[in-house]
Amino acid sequence: RSNGFLVCGSTNLYTLEDGVVKSIYDLTKEFDSSQRCNDGNIDKLGRLWFSSIVDDGIHAPESKLYCYSNKELVCMDSDLKLGNGICWNSKYTRMFVVDSVAHVIYVYDYDLDTGIISNRRVLCNIYDGTPDGMLIDKDENLWIAIWDGARIEVRSSKTGLLKKSYDL
């Protein structure tokens, strides 16, 4: 509801408006020193969804999916390896999340009114490279950046089947 930005930092969530940075949530209440924010997105009602990742080169990959809304942070899924690209279908009934280390695109049932996710399942696996960031287009196709694969894949959000691939 402003011209500002929401910034996910290593230890805080911030707003940046008119050159002024303001901390809005201390992530150290939830994160330990090996965690940081990774990819995120905002749903139609303004909830911030993002993943945390372990990024210290010592611990095994571990990631959690969080939702920040009404000044409250809630862990919504703690069973990811490296959470990435987050997006929703146009009706906001399904939410999609990349798990890069697991080479999986997950789909959840999504309740826009409550922000509750349920019924996580595998939409598809991508093993030729590592799925990373992801967006969805007006035709409900997922556009997935493939790290170490130098391409963008376009996949059906209903079946996960590959529709197109663009080499970079």
Side-chain angles (χ1 to χ4, degrees), residues 88-167:
W88 296 265
N89 67 339
S90 62
K91 293 181 180 179
Y92 281 86
T93 57
R94 294 186 302 154
M95 185 172 92
F96 304 89
V97 175
V98 172
D99 189 332
S100 295
V101 170
H103 294 267
V104 165
I105 310 301
Y106 288 116
V107 59
Y108 300 80
D109 294 332
Y110 189 69
D111 184 319
L112 179 63
D113 292 333
T114 64
I116 298 296
I117 56 174
S118 61
N119 192 27
R120 182 178 94 169
R121 59 218 177 263
V122 173
L123 178 69
C124 64
N125 294 96
I126 299 171
Y127 294 113
D128 183 21
T130 303
D132 197 344
M134 178 173 62
L135 296 170
I136 194 165
D137 67 20
K138 65 179 179 61
D139 297 320
E140 307 278 329
N141 294 310
L142 299 170
W143 290 67
I144 306 161
I146 308 299
W147 177 261
D148 285 339
R151 70 183 183 283
I152 303 291
E153 289 189 357
V154 181
R155 291 183 173 261
S156 166
S157 67
K158 293 177 178 58
T159 65
L161 292 176
L162 181 64
K163 297 179 94 173
K164 293 180 187 174
S165 184
Y166 298 96
D167 291 331

Coordinates of all heavy atoms in Angstrom, one line a residue, residues 88-167:
W88 N 1.6 -18.6 -7.1 CA 0.2 -19.2 -7.0 C -0.5 -19.2 -8.3 O -0.2 -18.4 -9.2 CB -0.6 -18.2 -6.0 CG -0.1 -18.2 -4.6 CD1 -0.5 -19.0 -3.6 CD2 0.9 -17.4 -4.1 NE1 0.2 -18.6 -2.5 CE2 1.1 -17.7 -2.8 CE3 1.8 -16.4 -4.7 CZ2 2.0 -17.0 -1.9 CZ3 2.7 -15.8 -3.9 CH2 2.8 -16.1 -2.5
N89 N -1.5 -20.1 -8.4 CA -2.3 -20.0 -9.6 C -3.2 -18.8 -9.5 O -3.3 -18.1 -8.5 CB -3.1 -21.3 -9.8 CG -4.2 -21.5 -8.7 OD1 -4.1 -21.0 -7.6 ND2 -5.1 -22.4 -9.0
S90 N -3.9 -18.4 -10.6 CA -4.7 -17.2 -10.7 C -5.8 -17.1 -9.7 O -6.2 -16.1 -9.3 CB -5.2 -16.9 -12.1 OG -6.1 -18.0 -12.5
K91 N -6.3 -18.3 -9.3 CA -7.5 -18.3 -8.3 C -7.0 -18.4 -6.9 O -7.8 -18.4 -6.0 CB -8.4 -19.5 -8.6 CG -9.1 -19.3 -10.0 CD -10.0 -20.5 -10.2 CE -10.7 -20.3 -11.5 NZ -11.6 -21.5 -11.8
Y92 N -5.7 -18.5 -6.7 CA -5.0 -18.6 -5.4 C -5.6 -19.8 -4.6 O -5.8 -19.8 -3.4 CB -5.2 -17.3 -4.6 CG -4.2 -16.3 -5.0 CD1 -4.4 -15.4 -6.0 CD2 -3.0 -16.2 -4.3 CE1 -3.5 -14.4 -6.4 CE2 -2.0 -15.2 -4.7 CZ -2.3 -14.4 -5.7 OH -1.4 -13.4 -6.1
T93 N -5.8 -20.9 -5.4 CA -6.2 -22.2 -4.7 C -5.0 -23.2 -4.7 O -5.2 -24.2 -4.0 CB -7.3 -22.8 -5.5 OG1 -6.9 -23.0 -6.9 CG2 -8.6 -22.0 -5.5
R94 N -3.9 -22.9 -5.4 CA -2.8 -23.7 -5.3 C -1.5 -22.8 -5.2 O -1.4 -21.8 -5.9 CB -2.7 -24.6 -6.6 CG -3.8 -25.6 -6.6 CD -3.7 -26.6 -7.7 NE -3.6 -25.9 -9.0 CZ -3.1 -26.4 -10.1 NH1 -2.5 -27.5 -10.1 NH2 -3.0 -25.7 -11.2
M95 N -0.6 -23.3 -4.4 CA 0.7 -22.6 -4.2 C 1.8 -23.5 -4.7 O 1.8 -24.7 -4.4 CB 0.9 -22.2 -2.8 CG 2.2 -21.3 -2.6 SD 2.3 -20.6 -0.9 CE 3.2 -21.9 -0.1
F96 N 2.8 -23.0 -5.4 CA 3.9 -23.8 -5.9 C 5.2 -23.3 -5.3 O 5.4 -22.1 -5.1 CB 4.0 -23.6 -7.4 CG 2.7 -24.0 -8.2 CD1 1.8 -23.0 -8.4 CD2 2.5 -25.3 -8.6 CE1 0.6 -23.3 -9.0 CE2 1.3 -25.6 -9.2 CZ 0.4 -24.6 -9.4
V97 N 6.1 -24.3 -4.9 CA 7.3 -24.0 -4.3 C 8.4 -24.9 -4.9 O 8.2 -26.1 -5.0 CB 7.3 -24.2 -2.7 CG1 8.6 -24.0 -2.1 CG2 6.2 -23.2 -2.1
V98 N 9.5 -24.3 -5.2 CA 10.7 -25.1 -5.7 C 11.5 -25.6 -4.4 O 11.7 -24.8 -3.5 CB 11.6 -24.2 -6.6 CG1 12.9 -25.0 -6.9 CG2 10.9 -23.8 -7.8
D99 N 11.9 -26.8 -4.5 CA 13.0 -27.3 -3.5 C 14.2 -27.6 -4.4 O 14.2 -28.7 -5.0 CB 12.5 -28.5 -2.7 CG 13.5 -28.8 -1.6 OD1 14.7 -28.5 -1.7 OD2 13.0 -29.4 -0.6
S100 N 15.1 -26.7 -4.4 CA 16.3 -26.9 -5.4 C 17.1 -28.1 -5.1 O 17.5 -28.8 -6.0 CB 17.1 -25.6 -5.4 OG 16.4 -24.5 -5.8
V101 N 17.5 -28.4 -3.9 CA 18.3 -29.5 -3.6 C 17.6 -30.8 -3.8 O 18.2 -31.8 -4.3 CB 18.8 -29.4 -2.1 CG1 19.5 -30.7 -1.7 CG2 19.8 -28.2 -1.9
A102 N 16.3 -30.9 -3.6 CA 15.6 -32.1 -3.8 C 15.2 -32.2 -5.3 O 14.6 -33.3 -5.7 CB 14.3 -32.1 -2.9
H103 N 15.4 -31.2 -6.1 CA 15.0 -31.2 -7.5 C 13.5 -31.4 -7.7 O 13.1 -32.1 -8.6 CB 15.8 -32.2 -8.3 CG 17.3 -31.9 -8.3 ND1 17.9 -31.2 -9.3 CD2 18.3 -32.2 -7.4 CE1 19.2 -31.1 -9.1 NE2 19.5 -31.7 -7.9
V104 N 12.7 -30.7 -6.9 CA 11.3 -30.9 -6.9 C 10.5 -29.6 -7.0 O 11.0 -28.6 -6.5 CB 10.9 -31.6 -5.6 CG1 9.4 -31.5 -5.3 CG2 11.3 -33.0 -5.5
I105 N 9.4 -29.6 -7.7 CA 8.4 -28.5 -7.7 C 7.3 -29.1 -6.9 O 6.7 -30.1 -7.3 CB 7.9 -28.1 -9.1 CG1 9.1 -27.8 -10.0 CG2 7.0 -26.9 -8.9 CD1 10.1 -26.7 -9.6
Y106 N 7.0 -28.5 -5.7 CA 5.9 -29.0 -4.9 C 4.7 -28.1 -5.2 O 4.8 -26.9 -5.6 CB 6.2 -28.8 -3.4 CG 7.1 -29.8 -2.9 CD1 8.4 -29.4 -2.4 CD2 6.8 -31.2 -2.8 CE1 9.3 -30.3 -1.8 CE2 7.8 -32.1 -2.3 CZ 9.0 -31.6 -1.8 OH 9.9 -32.5 -1.3
V107 N 3.5 -28.7 -5.1 CA 2.2 -27.9 -5.1 C 1.5 -28.2 -3.8 O 1.4 -29.3 -3.3 CB 1.4 -28.2 -6.4 CG1 1.0 -29.7 -6.4 CG2 0.2 -27.4 -6.5
Y108 N 0.9 -27.1 -3.3 CA 0.1 -27.2 -2.1 C -1.3 -26.7 -2.4 O -1.5 -25.9 -3.3 CB 0.6 -26.3 -1.0 CG 2.0 -26.5 -0.5 CD1 3.1 -26.0 -1.2 CD2 2.2 -27.1 0.7 CE1 4.4 -26.1 -0.7 CE2 3.5 -27.2 1.2 CZ 4.6 -26.7 0.5 OH 5.9 -26.9 0.9
D109 N -2.3 -27.2 -1.7 CA -3.6 -26.6 -1.7 C -3.5 -25.3 -0.9 O -2.8 -25.3 0.1 CB -4.7 -27.5 -1.1 CG -4.9 -28.8 -2.0 OD1 -4.7 -28.7 -3.2 OD2 -5.3 -29.8 -1.4
Y110 N -4.1 -24.2 -1.4 CA -4.0 -22.9 -0.7 C -5.3 -22.3 -0.5 O -6.2 -22.3 -1.3 CB -3.1 -22.0 -1.7 CG -2.8 -20.7 -1.0 CD1 -1.8 -20.7 0.0 CD2 -3.3 -19.5 -1.3 CE1 -1.5 -19.5 0.7 CE2 -3.0 -18.3 -0.7 CZ -2.0 -18.3 0.3 OH -1.7 -17.2 0.9
D111 N -5.5 -21.9 0.8 CA -6.7 -21.1 1.2 C -6.4 -19.7 1.3 O -5.7 -19.3 2.3 CB -7.2 -21.7 2.5 CG -8.6 -21.1 2.9 OD1 -8.7 -19.9 2.7 OD2 -9.4 -21.8 3.4
L112 N -6.8 -18.9 0.3 CA -6.4 -17.5 0.3 C -7.0 -16.7 1.6 O -6.3 -15.9 2.1 CB -6.9 -16.8 -1.0 CG -6.6 -15.3 -1.1 CD1 -5.1 -15.0 -1.1 CD2 -7.3 -14.7 -2.3
D113 N -8.2 -17.1 2.0 CA -8.7 -16.4 3.1 C -7.9 -16.5 4.4 O -7.7 -15.6 5.2 CB -10.2 -16.8 3.4 CG -11.1 -16.4 2.3 OD1 -10.9 -15.4 1.6 OD2 -12.1 -17.1 2.0
T114 N -7.4 -17.8 4.7 CA -6.7 -18.0 5.9 C -5.2 -18.1 5.7 O -4.5 -18.0 6.7 CB -7.1 -19.4 6.5 OG1 -6.7 -20.4 5.5 CG2 -8.6 -19.5 6.7
G115 N -4.7 -18.2 4.5 CA -3.3 -18.4 4.3 C -2.8 -19.7 4.6 O -1.6 -19.9 4.8
I116 N -3.6 -20.7 4.8 CA -3.2 -22.1 5.1 C -2.9 -22.9 3.9 O -3.6 -22.8 2.9 CB -4.4 -22.8 5.9 CG1 -4.7 -22.0 7.2 CG2 -4.0 -24.2 6.2 CD1 -3.6 -22.0 8.2
I117 N -1.8 -23.6 4.0 CA -1.4 -24.5 2.9 C -1.6 -26.0 3.4 O -1.5 -26.2 4.6 CB 0.1 -24.4 2.5 CG1 1.0 -24.5 3.6 CG2 0.2 -23.0 1.7 CD1 2.5 -24.4 3.2
S118 N -1.9 -26.9 2.5 CA -2.1 -28.3 2.9 C -1.9 -29.2 1.7 O -1.7 -28.7 0.6 CB -3.6 -28.4 3.4 OG -4.5 -28.1 2.4
N119 N -1.9 -30.5 2.0 CA -1.8 -31.5 0.9 C -0.6 -31.3 0.0 O -0.8 -31.3 -1.2 CB -3.1 -31.5 0.1 CG -3.3 -32.7 -0.8 OD1 -2.7 -33.7 -0.5 ND2 -4.0 -32.5 -1.8
R120 N 0.6 -31.1 0.6 CA 1.8 -31.0 -0.3 C 2.0 -32.2 -1.1 O 1.9 -33.3 -0.6 CB 3.0 -30.7 0.6 CG 4.3 -30.5 -0.2 CD 5.5 -30.2 0.6 NE 6.2 -31.4 0.9 CZ 7.4 -31.5 1.5 NH1 8.0 -30.3 1.8 NH2 8.0 -32.6 1.7
R121 N 2.3 -32.0 -2.4 CA 2.6 -33.2 -3.3 C 3.6 -32.7 -4.3 O 3.8 -31.5 -4.6 CB 1.3 -33.7 -3.9 CG 0.6 -32.7 -4.7 CD -1.0 -32.9 -4.5 NE -1.7 -31.9 -5.2 CZ -2.2 -30.8 -4.7 NH1 -2.0 -30.5 -3.4 NH2 -2.9 -30.0 -5.4
V122 N 4.2 -33.7 -4.9 CA 5.2 -33.4 -6.0 C 4.5 -33.1 -7.3 O 3.7 -34.0 -7.7 CB 6.2 -34.6 -6.2 CG1 7.1 -34.4 -7.4 CG2 7.0 -34.8 -4.9
L123 N 4.7 -32.0 -7.9 CA 4.2 -31.7 -9.2 C 5.1 -32.3 -10.3 O 4.6 -33.0 -11.2 CB 4.0 -30.2 -9.4 CG 3.5 -29.8 -10.8 CD1 2.1 -30.2 -11.0 CD2 3.7 -28.3 -11.1
C124 N 6.4 -32.1 -10.1 CA 7.4 -32.7 -11.0 C 8.8 -32.7 -10.4 O 9.0 -32.0 -9.4 CB 7.4 -32.0 -12.4 SG 7.9 -30.3 -12.3
N125 N 9.7 -33.4 -11.0 CA 11.1 -33.4 -10.6 C 11.9 -32.9 -11.8 O 11.5 -33.2 -13.0 CB 11.6 -34.8 -10.3 CG 10.9 -35.4 -9.1 OD1 9.9 -36.1 -9.1 ND2 11.5 -35.0 -7.9
I126 N 12.9 -32.2 -11.6 CA 13.8 -31.7 -12.6 C 15.3 -32.1 -12.2 O 15.8 -31.6 -11.2 CB 13.7 -30.2 -12.8 CG1 12.3 -29.8 -13.2 CG2 14.7 -29.7 -13.8 CD1 12.0 -28.4 -13.2
Y127 N 15.9 -33.0 -12.9 CA 17.2 -33.5 -12.5 C 18.3 -33.0 -13.5 O 19.5 -33.1 -13.1 CB 17.2 -35.0 -12.5 CG 16.3 -35.6 -11.4 CD1 15.2 -36.3 -11.7 CD2 16.6 -35.4 -10.1 CE1 14.4 -36.8 -10.7 CE2 15.8 -35.9 -9.1 CZ 14.7 -36.6 -9.4 OH 13.9 -37.1 -8.4
D128 N 18.0 -32.5 -14.6 CA 19.0 -32.0 -15.6 C 19.2 -30.5 -15.3 O 18.7 -29.7 -15.9 CB 18.5 -32.2 -17.0 CG 19.6 -31.8 -18.0 OD1 20.7 -31.7 -17.7 OD2 19.2 -31.5 -19.2
G129 N 20.0 -30.3 -14.2 CA 20.2 -28.9 -13.7 C 19.4 -28.8 -12.4 O 18.7 -29.8 -12.0
T130 N 19.4 -27.6 -11.8 CA 18.8 -27.4 -10.5 C 17.7 -26.4 -10.7 O 18.0 -25.2 -11.0 CB 19.8 -26.9 -9.5 OG1 20.9 -27.9 -9.4 CG2 19.2 -26.7 -8.1
P131 N 16.4 -26.7 -10.4 CA 15.4 -25.7 -10.4 C 15.6 -24.6 -9.4 O 16.1 -24.9 -8.3 CB 14.1 -26.5 -10.1 CG 14.5 -27.7 -9.4 CD 15.9 -28.0 -9.9
D132 N 15.3 -23.4 -9.8 CA 15.7 -22.2 -8.9 C 14.5 -21.3 -8.8 O 13.4 -21.7 -8.3 CB 16.9 -21.5 -9.5 CG 17.6 -20.6 -8.5 OD1 17.0 -20.3 -7.5 OD2 18.7 -20.2 -8.8
G133 N 14.6 -20.1 -9.3 CA 13.4 -19.2 -9.3 C 12.3 -19.6 -10.2 O 12.5 -20.4 -11.1
M134 N 11.1 -19.2 -9.9 CA 9.9 -19.6 -10.6 C 8.8 -18.5 -10.6 O 8.6 -17.9 -9.6 CB 9.4 -20.9 -10.0 CG 8.1 -21.5 -10.7 SD 7.7 -23.1 -10.0 CE 7.3 -22.7 -8.3
L135 N 8.2 -18.4 -11.7 CA 7.0 -17.5 -11.9 C 5.9 -18.3 -12.6 O 6.1 -19.3 -13.2 CB 7.4 -16.3 -12.7 CG 8.4 -15.3 -12.0 CD1 8.8 -14.3 -13.1 CD2 7.8 -14.7 -10.8
I136 N 4.7 -17.7 -12.5 CA 3.6 -18.3 -13.3 C 3.0 -17.3 -14.2 O 2.9 -16.1 -13.8 CB 2.5 -18.9 -12.3 CG1 1.5 -19.8 -13.0 CG2 1.8 -17.8 -11.5 CD1 0.7 -20.7 -12.0
D137 N 2.6 -17.7 -15.4 CA 2.1 -16.7 -16.4 C 0.5 -16.7 -16.4 O -0.1 -17.5 -15.7 CB 2.7 -16.9 -17.8 CG 2.3 -18.2 -18.4 OD1 1.3 -18.8 -18.0 OD2 3.0 -18.6 -19.4
K138 N 0.0 -15.9 -17.2 CA -1.5 -15.7 -17.3 C -2.2 -17.0 -17.8 O -3.4 -17.2 -17.5 CB -1.9 -14.6 -18.2 CG -1.5 -14.7 -19.6 CD -2.0 -13.5 -20.4 CE -1.6 -13.6 -21.9 NZ -2.1 -14.7 -22.6
D139 N -1.4 -17.9 -18.5 CA -2.0 -19.2 -18.9 C -1.7 -20.3 -17.9 O -2.0 -21.5 -18.3 CB -1.4 -19.5 -20.3 CG -1.7 -18.5 -21.4 OD1 -2.9 -18.0 -21.4 OD2 -0.8 -18.1 -22.2
E140 N -1.3 -19.9 -16.7 CA -1.1 -20.9 -15.7 C 0.1 -21.8 -15.9 O 0.2 -23.0 -15.4 CB -2.3 -21.7 -15.3 CG -3.6 -20.9 -15.1 CD -3.7 -20.3 -13.6 OE1 -3.2 -21.0 -12.7 OE2 -4.2 -19.3 -13.5
N141 N 1.1 -21.4 -16.7 CA 2.3 -22.1 -16.9 C 3.4 -21.6 -16.0 O 3.5 -20.4 -15.8 CB 2.8 -22.0 -18.4 CG 1.8 -22.6 -19.4 OD1 1.4 -23.7 -19.2 ND2 1.4 -21.8 -20.4
L142 N 4.1 -22.6 -15.5 CA 5.3 -22.2 -14.6 C 6.5 -22.0 -15.5 O 6.8 -22.8 -16.3 CB 5.5 -23.4 -13.6 CG 4.4 -23.7 -12.7 CD1 4.7 -25.0 -11.9 CD2 4.1 -22.6 -11.7
W143 N 7.2 -20.9 -15.2 CA 8.5 -20.6 -15.9 C 9.5 -20.8 -14.8 O 9.6 -20.0 -13.8 CB 8.5 -19.2 -16.4 CG 7.5 -19.0 -17.5 CD1 6.2 -19.1 -17.5 CD2 7.9 -18.7 -18.9 NE1 5.7 -18.8 -18.8 CE2 6.7 -18.6 -19.6 CE3 9.1 -18.5 -19.5 CZ2 6.7 -18.3 -21.0 CZ3 9.1 -18.2 -20.9 CH2 8.0 -18.1 -21.6
I144 N 10.4 -21.8 -15.0 CA 11.4 -22.2 -14.0 C 12.8 -22.0 -14.5 O 13.2 -22.5 -15.5 CB 11.2 -23.7 -13.6 CG1 9.7 -23.9 -13.2 CG2 12.1 -24.1 -12.5 CD1 9.3 -25.4 -13.3
A145 N 13.6 -21.2 -13.8 CA 15.0 -21.0 -14.1 C 15.7 -22.2 -13.6 O 15.6 -22.7 -12.5 CB 15.5 -19.7 -13.4
I146 N 16.6 -22.7 -14.5 CA 17.4 -23.9 -14.2 C 18.8 -23.5 -14.0 O 19.5 -23.2 -15.0 CB 17.2 -25.0 -15.3 CG1 15.8 -25.3 -15.6 CG2 18.0 -26.3 -14.9 CD1 15.0 -25.8 -14.4
W147 N 19.3 -23.6 -12.8 CA 20.7 -23.3 -12.4 C 21.5 -24.5 -12.8 O 21.1 -25.6 -12.7 CB 20.8 -23.1 -10.9 CG 22.1 -22.9 -10.4 CD1 23.0 -23.8 -9.8 CD2 22.8 -21.6 -10.3 NE1 24.1 -23.2 -9.4 CE2 24.1 -21.9 -9.7 CE3 22.5 -20.3 -10.7 CZ2 25.0 -20.9 -9.5 CZ3 23.5 -19.3 -10.5 CH2 24.7 -19.6 -10.0
D148 N 22.7 -24.2 -13.3 CA 23.6 -25.2 -13.8 C 23.0 -26.0 -15.0 O 23.4 -27.1 -15.3 CB 24.0 -26.3 -12.8 CG 25.1 -25.7 -11.8 OD1 25.7 -24.7 -12.2 OD2 25.2 -26.2 -10.7
G149 N 22.0 -25.4 -15.6 CA 21.4 -26.0 -16.8 C 21.2 -25.0 -17.9 O 20.9 -25.3 -19.0
A150 N 21.5 -23.7 -17.6 CA 21.5 -22.6 -18.6 C 20.2 -22.6 -19.4 O 20.3 -22.5 -20.6 CB 22.7 -22.7 -19.5
R151 N 19.1 -22.7 -18.7 CA 17.8 -22.7 -19.5 C 16.6 -22.2 -18.6 O 16.7 -22.2 -17.4 CB 17.5 -24.0 -20.2 CG 17.1 -25.1 -19.2 CD 16.9 -26.4 -19.9 NE 16.5 -27.5 -19.0 CZ 17.2 -28.1 -18.1 NH1 18.5 -27.8 -18.0 NH2 16.7 -29.0 -17.3
I152 N 15.6 -21.9 -19.3 CA 14.3 -21.7 -18.7 C 13.3 -22.7 -19.1 O 13.2 -23.0 -20.4 CB 13.7 -20.3 -19.0 CG1 14.7 -19.1 -18.7 CG2 12.3 -20.1 -18.4 CD1 14.9 -18.9 -17.2
E153 N 12.7 -23.4 -18.2 CA 11.6 -24.4 -18.6 C 10.3 -23.8 -18.4 O 10.0 -23.2 -17.4 CB 11.8 -25.7 -17.8 CG 13.0 -26.5 -18.2 CD 13.0 -27.9 -17.5 OE1 12.1 -28.2 -16.7 OE2 14.0 -28.6 -17.8
V154 N 9.4 -24.1 -19.3 CA 7.9 -23.8 -19.2 C 7.2 -25.1 -19.0 O 7.3 -26.0 -19.8 CB 7.4 -23.0 -20.4 CG1 5.9 -22.7 -20.2 CG2 8.3 -21.8 -20.7
R155 N 6.5 -25.2 -17.8 CA 5.8 -26.4 -17.5 C 4.4 -26.1 -17.1 O 4.0 -25.1 -16.6 CB 6.5 -27.1 -16.3 CG 7.9 -27.7 -16.7 CD 8.5 -28.4 -15.5 NE 9.7 -29.1 -15.9 CZ 9.8 -30.4 -16.3 NH1 8.7 -31.1 -16.2 NH2 11.0 -30.9 -16.7
S156 N 3.5 -27.1 -17.4 CA 2.1 -27.0 -17.0 C 2.0 -27.0 -15.5 O 2.6 -27.9 -14.8 CB 1.3 -28.2 -17.6 OG 0.1 -28.3 -16.9
S157 N 1.2 -26.1 -14.9 CA 1.0 -26.0 -13.5 C 0.0 -27.1 -13.0 O -0.1 -27.3 -11.8 CB 0.6 -24.7 -13.0 OG -0.7 -24.4 -13.5
K158 N -0.7 -27.7 -14.0 CA -1.6 -28.8 -13.7 C -1.0 -30.1 -13.6 O -1.3 -31.0 -12.8 CB -2.8 -28.7 -14.6 CG -3.6 -27.5 -14.5 CD -4.7 -27.4 -15.5 CE -5.6 -26.2 -15.4 NZ -4.9 -24.9 -15.5
T159 N -0.1 -30.4 -14.6 CA 0.5 -31.7 -14.7 C 2.0 -31.8 -14.5 O 2.6 -32.8 -14.3 CB 0.3 -32.3 -16.1 OG1 1.0 -31.4 -17.1 CG2 -1.2 -32.3 -16.5
G160 N 2.7 -30.6 -14.5 CA 4.1 -30.6 -14.4 C 4.9 -30.9 -15.7 O 6.1 -30.9 -15.7
L161 N 4.2 -31.3 -16.7 CA 4.8 -31.7 -18.0 C 5.5 -30.5 -18.7 O 5.0 -29.4 -18.7 CB 3.8 -32.3 -19.0 CG 3.2 -33.6 -18.6 CD1 2.1 -34.1 -19.5 CD2 4.3 -34.7 -18.4
L162 N 6.7 -30.8 -19.3 CA 7.4 -29.8 -19.9 C 6.7 -29.4 -21.2 O 6.4 -30.2 -22.1 CB 8.8 -30.3 -20.3 CG 9.8 -29.4 -21.0 CD1 10.2 -28.2 -20.1 CD2 11.1 -30.2 -21.3
K163 N 6.5 -28.0 -21.4 CA 5.9 -27.5 -22.6 C 6.9 -26.9 -23.6 O 6.8 -27.0 -24.8 CB 4.8 -26.5 -22.2 CG 3.7 -27.1 -21.4 CD 2.7 -26.1 -21.0 CE 1.6 -26.1 -22.1 NZ 0.5 -25.3 -21.7
K164 N 7.9 -26.2 -23.0 CA 8.9 -25.5 -23.8 C 10.2 -25.4 -22.9 O 10.1 -25.4 -21.7 CB 8.5 -24.1 -24.2 CG 7.4 -24.0 -25.1 CD 7.0 -22.5 -25.5 CE 5.8 -22.4 -26.3 NZ 5.3 -21.1 -26.5
S165 N 11.3 -25.3 -23.6 CA 12.6 -25.0 -23.0 C 13.3 -24.0 -23.8 O 13.4 -24.1 -25.0 CB 13.3 -26.4 -22.9 OG 14.5 -26.2 -22.1
Y166 N 13.9 -23.0 -23.1 CA 14.7 -22.0 -23.7 C 16.1 -22.0 -23.2 O 16.3 -21.8 -22.0 CB 14.1 -20.6 -23.4 CG 12.7 -20.4 -24.0 CD1 11.6 -20.6 -23.1 CD2 12.4 -20.0 -25.3 CE1 10.3 -20.5 -23.6 CE2 11.1 -19.9 -25.7 CZ 10.1 -20.1 -24.9 OH 8.8 -20.0 -25.4
D167 N 17.0 -22.4 -24.1 CA 18.4 -22.4 -23.7 C 19.0 -21.0 -23.6 O 18.6 -20.1 -24.4 CB 19.3 -23.2 -24.7 CG 19.0 -24.7 -24.7 OD1 18.6 -25.2 -23.7 OD2 19.1 -25.3 -25.8

